Amino acid sequence: NAGVTQTPKFQVLKTGQSMTLQCAQDMNHEYMSWYRQDPGMGLRLIHYSVGAGITDQGEVPNGYNVSRSTTEDFPLRLLSAAPSQTSVYFCASSPTGGSNQPQHFGDGTRLSIL
Amino acid sequence: DAKTTQPNSMESNEEEPVHLPCNHSTISGTDYIHWYRQLPSQGPEYVIHGLTSNVNNRMASLAIAEDRKSSTLILHRATLRDAAVYYCILTGQGGSEKLVFGKGTKLTVNP
């Protein structure tokens, strides 16, 4: 199993550009989420989804958009990139999102916005 | 949300046991105690979790105080590969969307 796969691994954008960070999992997990991690900080939740067609906001959702059309994929869209969105982005999944379930994380996308 | 308190950093020698403490004095009865670790330039990795009883798996052991206000992650024989930031996280009502990462404990393992 590949687990949680994130693409691209690295990306440089100019301010105002848009892009989509891809996340795919092959474990048939219902729950998926996106986090960002700034230097020296813990992870902060951006958006999450408890199943196909259902998404909700986390702690820091502004400037980001998500959709969940399939169980496997949960893309994160930056609508108009800003330097404050320079960060490392992690995608995670778990079977149903229950509080007793471990989450599986991808290796991250390192995003720089100039 | 219940908060956790961990030391900013700890140091250990290779092949020695490591005890990583976590205080969570405001834990509620339904909160699970999770531990994750993050190696340099990688995503967080699940280590172990528990509710009331001590737990063991191939990676580590989790010792939970009787009043559940604190817990300890035990690495039985530290290796260089165990050098990472370790996060102690409580999950309760609401499930995984309540996974809140603090700054964790940075573990240095000396050869």
Side-chain angles (χ1 to χ4, degrees):
Chain A
N1 279 346
V4 177
T5 303
Q6 292 185 238
T7 56
K9 294 191 184 308
F10 304 93
Q11 184 71 47
V12 179
L13 291 178
K14 294 182 179 178
T15 298
Q17 286 185 313
S18 63
M19 82 158 292
T20 299
L21 280 61
Q22 301 291 345
C23 176
Q25 52 89 12
D26 60 0
M27 297 172 282
N28 201 32
H29 285 174
E30 292 294 328
Y31 182 88
M32 297 184 73
S33 56
W34 277 101
Y35 291 84
R36 62 176 286 174
Q37 185 173 35
D38 299 322
M41 303 285 289
L43 281 71
R44 291 184 293 169
L45 183 65
I46 305 172
H47 284 285
Y48 64 96
S49 168
V50 297
I54 305 168
T55 64
D56 208 344
Q57 296 181 350
E59 179 187 356
V60 288
N62 293 340
Y64 306 95
N65 208 352
V66 292
S67 60
R68 184 93 180 272
S69 56
T70 67
T71 298
E72 295 78 18
D73 300 298
F74 190 42
L76 178 72
R77 297 182 187 83
L78 278 70
L79 307 173
S80 177
S84 62
Q85 294 178 304
T86 293
S87 191
V88 183
Y89 291 83
F90 292 102
C91 179
S93 74
S94 70
T96 60
S99 57
N100 65 338
Q101 294 176 355
Q103 291 208 48
H104 303 256
F105 286 83
D107 287 334
T109 294
R110 284 149 184 81
L111 183 62
S112 292
I113 298 163
L114 308 176
Chain B
D1 293 332
K3 291 183 63 175
T4 63
T5 304
Q6 300 177 251
N8 290 333
S9 63
M10 291 185 65
E11 207 166 320
S12 175
N13 296 320
E14 201 174 7
E15 298 190 4
E16 290 184 357
V18 180
H19 291 234
L20 296 164
C22 181
N23 287 321
H24 29 78
S25 58
T26 59
I27 191 171
S28 73
T30 56
D31 285 340
Y32 283 83
I33 303 160
H34 287 248
W35 284 82
Y36 287 80
R37 71 180 185 182
Q38 188 173 21
L39 279 65
S41 301
Q42 294 189 24
E45 176 187 28
Y46 166 78
V47 178
I48 200 166
H49 77 282
L51 183 62
T52 56
S53 303
N54 295 344
V55 185
N56 300 297
N57 66 20
R58 64 175 179 81
M59 290 181 68
S61 295
L62 176 60
I64 301 173
E66 198 167 333
D67 64 4
R68 301 212 322 128
K69 294 183 184 299
S70 66
S71 62
T72 302
L73 178 70
I74 302 166
L75 307 179
H76 295 286
R77 288 183 70 217
T79 68
L80 296 178
R81 195 194 174 277
D82 292 323
V85 178
Y86 286 79
Y87 297 98
C88 170
I89 301 168
L90 304 183
T91 63
Q93 292 293 331
S96 288
E97 62 268 28
K98 298 299 184 185
L99 203 64
V100 177
F101 285 80
K103 293 190 176 181
T105 297
K106 183 176 182 179
L107 176 66
T108 301
V109 180
N110 300 314

